Amino acid sequence: MADERKLATILFADLAGSTALADEQDPERTRARLERFYDAMAAEIRVAGGTVEKFAGDAVMAAFGAPEALEDHAERALHTAFAMQRRLETGLALRIGVNTGEVVVGGARENSSFVSGDAVNVAARLERAAASGEVLAGERTAAAARGAFEFGAPRTVEAKGKPGGVACRPVLRALSLMRPRGTGRVFVGRDGELERLWRAYRRSVDRAAAVLVTVVGDAGVGKTRVMRELWQQLATQEPEPLRRTGRCLPYGDGITFWPLAEALKEHLAILESDPPEEVRRRLGNREILGLTLGLDVAGDLHPLAARDRLHAAWVDFVMEQASQRPVVLLIEDVHWAEPPLLELLERLARDVRAPLLLLATARPDFARSWDARVDAETILLEPLSGDVATSLVEELADQLPPDIRDVIVRRAEGNPFFVEELIQLANEDGVAIPDSVQAVLAARIDLLGEAEKAALQAAAVIGRAFWTGPVYELVGEHSPDLATLESRDFIRRRHTSSLEGEVEYVFKHALTREVAYNGQTKARRARLHADFAGWLEGVGGEHAALLAYHYAEAVRPEDVDVAWPDGGDELELLEAKAVTWLSRAAEAAMSRYELQDAVALLDRAIPLTDDKARLWRRIARAHALNYDGDALMHAFERALELTEDERQRSETYAELAFESGLRSGMWRRRPPEHVVDEWTSRALAHVKPRSPEHVKTLVARAMSGLPDGDETAALALELAEELGEASLQSAARDACGVNAFRDGDFERAYEFETSRFRLRDQLGDPDLVHDLYLSTIPTANATGRLEEAKRLANELTEVVADLTPHHRLHGVANLIEIEELKGTWDAVLALEEATVAAVEANRYTPCVRNARSLLVCAIARELAGDRERSAELEARAAELASEGHGGAIATPRARLAIARGSLDVLEILSDEAWLRRQTWFALPSAALRLDVFAIIGSAADVEGSFAPPGSYVQPFATRALGVTTGNDELLRRADERFRALGLVWHADQTEPLRRLRKLALG
């Protein structure tokens, strides 16, 4: 091996009194005893990560930090020293000397050591000077392990060639596994912020409730330092709170829950290299938490169901811990967090009913507004004032000349991180200080030796956190000493590792990593990404998101000409790997309902493969789950353009038609009937008969109001029951119910829709469960079961409470739609705030209920005499209106016109075909249509209207006919029926309608 310089700790141990012992025993017995001694000592050395350098007689020499660098080599050596003493047989004792210093590591020659240097000689001398059973540590070792061990009084040992002797201290006992790490020994200017954090902790404990504190400040302003100070104070509490940390990563796709995964792995002692079976074993009955770690534990659960269970499991898990002692959970750098993580953190802050202090650090561009129900506060960290920054520099750099210290204060501008970096640069080189942080970091990197610079750059490719193993692989012929990078404060060692057998480091700051990364050519970065991905793939375990990121970065299409100018088999293999891992990571993201993330991953894969159609179909599925009709249409169109196989084309049309039928309100411009007819006809041309795709096509036709709706719905139900798939059976029953509704057979429609609830437990999909309610509520209304409809609507709000904003809009919209049908406008007013909030949260997702819900609220405001607010709501609705939804939007507009007496703008809802295709909005449209006929229509218009006998709509038809014909008996019967159904407001509109008719007819 090539020689390397290492900062290492050397351990020498010798059996005290072994000569006398050997004289008293049989040689064979002595030999056996020594063999046991060798085995026991070697085991203790190796388990601590040390290397047995040699055994000589009854002595042993070991090195820690050589040949592999170890950041805590001094602590390991001292812990090993005590462990070796504990392993001794009765009657034996050890003298041990431990010393830290620079050594040269190289290939061992015969009868020589692989480490050499003064540190080795001093360790041997300390061992000879130690008393029986004593451990003597050199001065450098004692300094390195301070805080982890208790040391005795200083001592000086005479040594040949050392005129002043060797300074050392006896080691009395271990205090902790590792000494406290990190710079930032000075804490200044943050007492007020620390006090606020402390009060928040006390509030969470006193109230036994969750408190969320967001600490916001520029990069390097001191957020982590404040948290470290809080951590130290919390350690003094009784009971001592459980503290866990995690950090959001700034790079890569699909690592949404990384911070919580770090905390979970620390809590359960899970390693990245643990096989999935072991991870599941540790998770126990909370296996669904494996989604946080990227495990595929959701099975066939719909992404919404998986996400719902994941949220609930985290709440239960944290509450269980916090019920035993307070919990403090720190999530750093949430400005890089994705919405699903923020939603989960908010859920914890809202639902945990136990002492939980949830801390988040962020940069100023973090724009999250937490739920108003959460006990939350924000602490803004400003740069240190000039005086405080001066005192900080004087504390950290009193050895520097005053003029250099003044420059540091000026350039740092109150940012403690910049202060540290500028001081470090001044200590290393003493040259003029650069004008910007970018220059500081670049200069520091250039001052490194060739090997260390290469290692830093390789680490930057791996990411913010990295491991020694792949760094050594990536630097090739170089032999960097990572301890040098650590001593210069580029990186810090973590006390635990997420990869077994690997020492894990983290860049001190993301800016350092960015400078090191960007300083490399695109070609070098691409090859290092590829090499690291290959290394990680060889390690095994579940790393889909990281592998997807690194393989994709290796073959970025815009850089491939410079990164892989010769193309060839190597490039093709890398592109194939990138597509494989991007696809796997995307599927995992979809299972967690991280839909934007999934789309981004699949988008990256498309330019890298010829099988683009498959990827576009998966993108379409993600958009369907997100109710984004326009994006879904674009994705399916691209898939069809790229698909030549007739069966695949038919299956694509089947999926397109099915998603459109199930989510008819997701379109900004709803596809007309003839388009759906074309889609389904093309699907039926080549789909496999009696297959799931065949059923989906039939359901789509039946749901879309095509002439063969009854026939296709019945066949869909037959085939779905034959296939035995609950989701298809539910969809087919829905199609049958919709067609019965269109035929005016509301009772039969109600029976079909309610029968779907028998499949609820088999669906395992909250999206489909929510659809049960959406389809059943209109049939309950239509049959006059208004109270049942209201009960179902209230249940729906509970079902959708933790789903997407789109689903939550459906929940509140159904509530106000029932009140609209009843004419209880005060109840609509009471729901206005929740409705407006739900629409605003969903404004970027197309839904007919966005505009419609605002219009219903506008009606209530108009009837309450608040015309200004009514006009405001109407205007906001106009901004969100979709096309192709007929009376769904025209109905509340017309009702609003009637409330205003604006007969000049009143339009007759004449689209009878549209009305008969509907279930969701057919009832208010049919009722209003009849009220319009009462004002400006004729008896013939009324008699031809959609108003099945015994239904909700019937009294509206009876009244309209009575008004148009002047038949008071019909009006009496209508009034009686209105009031029997509880439609008091509608009953009271008879006289206003008669007056409006007189006005309209002159």
Side-chain angles (χ1 to χ4, degrees):
M1 61 178 292
D3 290 352
E4 292 182 289
R5 292 182 63 88
K6 298 284 185 180
L7 179 63
T9 298
I10 308 301
L11 180 151
F12 269 92
D14 190 12
L15 281 173
S18 59
T19 302
L21 184 65
D23 290 341
E24 298 172 0
Q25 289 187 349
D26 179 82
E28 185 175 347
R29 184 170 289 107
T30 299
R31 176 68 179 179
R33 198 168 193 181
L34 285 175
E35 289 293 338
R36 294 195 298 272
F37 166 72
Y38 296 153
D39 291 342
M41 299 305 101
E44 293 298 338
I45 292 167
R46 291 190 179 106
V47 78
T51 301
V52 176
E53 211 278 344
K54 63 181 177 181
F55 284 103
D58 51 11
V60 57
M61 172 185 169
F64 293 81
E68 297 294 330
L70 295 171
E71 185 268 342
D72 57 345
H73 47 83
E75 296 100 304
R76 291 183 184 226
L78 293 180
H79 280 298
T80 301
F82 285 115
M84 291 167 69
Q85 289 181 331
R86 290 192 294 269
R87 286 289 299 271
L88 285 176
E89 296 180 8
T90 303
L92 297 181
L94 280 175
R95 297 191 307 267
I96 301 177
V98 183
N99 190 57
T100 300
E102 297 290 337
V103 297
V104 174
V105 182
R109 295 179 180 275
E110 187 176 358
N111 298 321
S112 70
S113 300
F114 73 87
V115 292
S116 58
D118 187 61
V120 177
N121 300 328
V122 171
R125 184 65 190 89
L126 292 174
E127 176 268 313
R128 288 194 293 272
S132 177
E134 185 179 45
V135 178
L136 278 183
E139 190 174 46
R140 198 166 178 180
T141 303
R146 186 180 299 113
F149 294 85
E150 181 181 349
F151 296 94
R155 186 187 305 177
T156 300
V157 173
E158 294 182 3
K160 185 177 180 179
K162 302 286 185 182
V166 175
C168 63
R169 301 180 69 172
V171 188
L172 304 181
R173 63 184 179 121
L175 300 175
S176 63
L177 184 61
M178 298 182 67
R179 73 174 175 84
R181 300 296 183 188
T183 58
R185 61 183 182 274
V186 179
F187 181 74
V188 294
R190 301 296 187 201
D191 292 337
E193 292 88 347
L194 182 62
E195 176 61 25
R196 289 182 62 184
L197 289 169
W198 187 251
R199 288 201 302 266
Y201 171 71
R202 291 309 318 169
R203 189 162 74 248
S204 74
V205 173
D206 294 342
R207 299 179 181 178
V211 175
L212 170 60
V213 181
T214 308
V215 179
V216 179
D218 290 325
V221 79
K223 301 182 292 292
T224 299
R225 183 64 185 88
V226 171
M227 294 302 174
R228 189 182 306 154
E229 193 71 16
L230 176 65
W231 238 235
Q232 293 174 2
Q233 291 194 14
L234 290 172
T236 66
Q237 294 301 292
E238 182 63 38
E240 182 179 348
L242 177 66
R243 289 157 291 164
R244 293 290 181 260
T245 64
R247 184 185 297 273
C248 300
L249 297 181
Y251 67 93
D253 299 308
I255 318 177
T256 302
F257 295 111
W258 183 276
L260 290 178
E262 286 187 310
L264 186 62
K265 285 183 283 190
E266 180 184 2
H267 191 76
L268 299 179
I270 294 173
L271 298 173
E272 287 280 357
S273 49
D274 283 339
E277 307 81 54
E278 172 63 16
V279 175
R280 288 187 174 93
R281 185 189 69 78
R282 294 186 182 223
L283 291 172
N285 61 1
R286 290 196 174 96
E287 186 179 71
I288 196 68
L289 291 179
L291 290 176
T292 311
L293 306 173
L295 292 178
D296 183 13
V297 295
D300 296 330
L301 282 177
H302 185 276
L304 287 173
R307 192 198 63 177
D308 188 42
R309 292 190 184 182
L310 176 65
H311 283 201
W314 264 105
V315 170
D316 291 344
F317 178 68
V318 173
M319 284 191 65
E320 180 181 327
Q321 306 307 314
S323 66
Q324 301 171 26
R325 54 172 170 157
V327 172
V328 182
L329 177 60
L330 168 62
I331 305 297
E332 297 196 80
D333 295 337
V334 295
H335 48 272
W336 285 319
E338 297 178 31
L341 174 62
L342 297 176
E343 290 174 7
L344 179 49
L345 295 178
E346 192 169 66
R347 174 77 180 273
L348 291 174
R350 189 186 71 215
D351 291 355
V352 169
R353 300 290 187 267
L356 167 66
L357 177 59
L358 184 56
L359 302 170
T361 65
R363 292 183 185 173
D365 56 358
F366 182 65
R368 178 80 175 190
S369 294
W370 300 111
D371 191 321
R373 294 170 291 177
V374 172
D375 183 352
E377 66 175 295
T378 299
I379 298 176
L380 180 63
L381 284 189
E382 297 286 358
L384 299 174
S385 66
D387 292 343
V388 174
T390 298
S391 66
L392 175 63
V393 173
E394 289 175 350
E395 287 282 346
L396 296 177
D398 59 347
Q399 78 282 5
L400 294 176
D403 58 333
I404 297 296
R405 295 202 301 266
D406 290 341
V407 171
I408 291 173
V409 171
R410 184 170 66 253
R411 298 301 187 196
E413 297 182 333
N415 188 301
F417 166 71
F418 298 163
V419 166
E420 291 184 14
E421 296 299 305
L422 291 167
I423 290 174
Q424 189 69 38
L425 181 63
N427 280 327
E428 291 175 0
D429 192 71
V431 298
I433 298 175
D435 292 336
S436 68
V437 172
Q438 175 68 30
V440 168
L441 293 173
R444 288 193 65 208
I445 292 170
D446 286 343
L447 288 174
L448 292 170
E450 184 179 3
E452 283 68 40
K453 182 175 180 179
L456 195 72
Q457 291 175 329
V461 170
I462 295 172
R464 177 75 183 276
F466 60 93
W467 302 272
T468 55
V471 168
Y472 295 145
E473 291 287 336
L474 297 183
V475 297
E477 62 184 17
H478 298 299
S479 300
D481 180 2
L482 294 185
T484 300
L485 294 177
E486 185 177 15
S487 67
R488 295 189 179 187
D489 217 18
F490 283 100
I491 60 175
R492 290 176 179 166
R493 188 190 164 194
R494 287 180 167 170
H495 63 86
T496 59
S497 177
S498 55
L499 282 179
E500 186 176 6
E502 293 295 331
V503 179
E504 184 170 324
Y505 286 89
V506 62
F507 276 86
K508 177 185 175 183
H509 199 280
L511 293 176
T512 303
R513 184 243 168 192
E514 291 170 13
V515 171
Y517 183 85
N518 293 331
Q520 301 173 80
T521 65
K522 294 179 179 180
R524 175 166 170 74
R525 293 201 302 255
R527 290 191 174 275
L528 288 175
H529 278 297
D531 290 344
F532 173 67
W535 181 90
L536 185 62
E537 196 171 9
V539 169
E542 189 60 38
H543 309 289
L546 283 175
L547 286 165
Y549 170 75
H550 285 287
Y551 274 126
E553 286 294 304
V555 292
R556 291 169 62 94
E558 60 268 36
D559 299 332
V560 74
D561 58 328
V562 295
W564 312 96
D566 298 328
D569 294 342
E570 184 178 16
L571 175 60
E572 290 182 6
L573 176 61
L574 290 172
E575 287 178 334
K577 285 181 174 292
V579 171
T580 295
W581 288 108
L582 285 166
S583 298
R584 287 181 60 173
E587 294 303 319
M590 252 193 280
S591 72
R592 299 188 297 269
Y593 216 73
E594 299 163 18
L595 302 176
Q596 293 180 346
D597 203 15
V599 171
L601 287 161
L602 294 167
D603 276 339
R604 293 201 72 178
I606 286 174
L608 307 177
T609 180
D610 292 333
D611 190 10
K612 303 180 191 300
R614 177 184 63 83
L615 297 177
W616 279 111
R617 286 192 292 271
R618 296 310 297 160
I619 290 174
R621 174 59 179 163
H623 288 312
L625 292 173
N626 201 35
Y627 282 83
D628 192 339
D630 294 344
L632 172 142
M633 189 69 245
H634 172 72
F636 272 127
E637 286 174 344
R638 295 292 293 130
L640 289 166
E641 290 172 6
L642 297 165
T643 302
E644 296 182 359
D645 181 82
E646 290 298 338
R647 173 162 289 180
Q648 286 187 2
R649 287 181 62 82
S650 289
E651 291 176 352
T652 302
Y653 276 115
E655 289 292 340
L656 169 58
F658 184 70
E659 297 290 4
S660 177
L662 289 185
R663 298 172 170 82
S664 61
M666 70 179 172
W667 302 97
R668 296 188 190 278
R669 185 182 182 88
R670 185 177 181 180
E673 183 179 320
H674 74 272
V675 171
V676 179
D677 188 11
E678 181 182 353
W679 291 345
T680 53
S681 296
R682 292 188 176 187
L684 290 172
H686 297 286
V687 295
K688 182 179 179 181
R690 313 184 83 79
S691 66
E693 291 76 19
H694 188 188
V695 175
K696 290 179 179 181
T697 305
L698 296 173
V699 168
R701 287 188 67 85
M703 297 287 279
S704 300
L706 296 172
D708 59 352
D710 288 333
E711 177 185 344
T712 54
L715 180 56
L717 181 57
E718 175 187 337
L719 298 183
E721 292 183 342
E722 178 182 302
L723 291 169
E725 185 176 328
S727 62
L728 291 178
Q729 293 178 60
S730 179
R733 288 186 173 277
D734 190 17
C736 291
V738 167
N739 278 274
F741 195 102
R742 290 170 181 155
D743 293 339
D745 192 345
F746 291 165
E747 281 293 339
R748 187 161 174 265
Y750 175 78
E751 292 172 3
F752 270 119
E753 297 296 354
T754 54
S755 71
R756 298 170 65 199
F757 280 86
R758 294 197 296 269
L759 300 166
R760 176 173 178 164
D761 293 340
Q762 301 176 48
L763 294 175
D765 180 342
D767 178 54
L768 295 182
V769 172
H770 123 280
D771 186 66
L772 299 182
Y773 287 91
L774 284 188
S775 298
T776 303
I777 289 170
T779 64
N781 285 324
T783 55
R785 297 177 172 92
L786 296 175
E787 290 307 311
E788 179 181 351
K790 189 169 183 177
R791 176 184 61 79
L792 292 171
N794 283 318
E795 290 181 12
L796 174 61
T797 61
E798 296 177 6
V799 170
V800 302
D802 295 318
L803 302 185
T804 67
H806 194 110
H807 292 88
R808 289 193 286 275
L809 172 63
H810 286 176
V812 70
N814 267 268
L815 286 173
I816 66 168
E817 286 161 14
I818 292 172
E819 304 302 344
E820 173 193 7
L821 289 172
K822 293 170 66 178
T824 47
W825 301 106
D826 286 345
V828 174
L829 289 176
L831 290 166
E832 180 186 316
E833 183 178 354
T835 302
V836 172
V839 170
E840 183 61 28
N842 190 61
R843 66 177 294 118
Y844 298 110
T845 302
C847 182
V848 65
R849 282 188 163 99
N850 280 334
R852 193 184 191 285
S853 299
L854 294 178
L855 288 171
V856 173
C857 291
I859 297 168
R861 282 289 182 177
E862 186 71 33
L863 293 172
D866 190 347
R867 291 201 165 190
E868 182 178 353
R869 177 60 175 165
S870 176
E872 180 184 335
L873 290 167
E874 183 183 19
R876 292 177 68 176
E879 297 173 2
L880 301 172
S882 305
E883 297 182 33
H885 293 285
I889 298 297
T891 294
R893 282 179 175 162
R895 178 68 73 188
L896 189 58
I898 292 175
R900 292 171 177 167
S902 303
L903 302 186
D904 55 327
V905 297
L906 193 60
E907 298 178 359
I908 296 178
L909 305 178
S910 58
D911 188 354
E912 183 77 18
W914 176 88
L915 189 62
R916 290 181 179 274
R917 289 200 304 272
Q918 296 302 301
T919 54
W920 290 350
F921 307 117
L923 299 178
S925 295
L928 179 64
R929 189 166 184 261
L930 288 162
D931 282 353
V932 170
F933 286 151
I935 299 171
I936 57 176
S938 66
D941 292 326
V942 176
E943 291 170 349
S945 295
F946 181 59
S951 70
Y952 167 89
V953 184
Q954 184 182 11
F956 291 89
T958 303
R959 176 172 64 189
L961 190 59
V963 171
T964 56
T965 62
N967 189 324
D968 289 338
E969 174 59 21
L970 289 177
L971 293 178
R972 186 194 65 77
R973 287 160 49 190
D975 186 80
E976 183 178 295
R977 180 59 179 162
F978 274 129
R979 296 184 188 280
L981 290 173
L983 308 181
V984 177
W985 182 85
H986 287 290
D988 292 342
Q989 300 311 299
T990 299
E991 288 306 314
L993 289 174
R994 295 175 74 175
R995 289 195 299 270
L996 287 172
R997 181 174 180 83
K998 290 180 180 179
L999 179 64
L1001 300 179

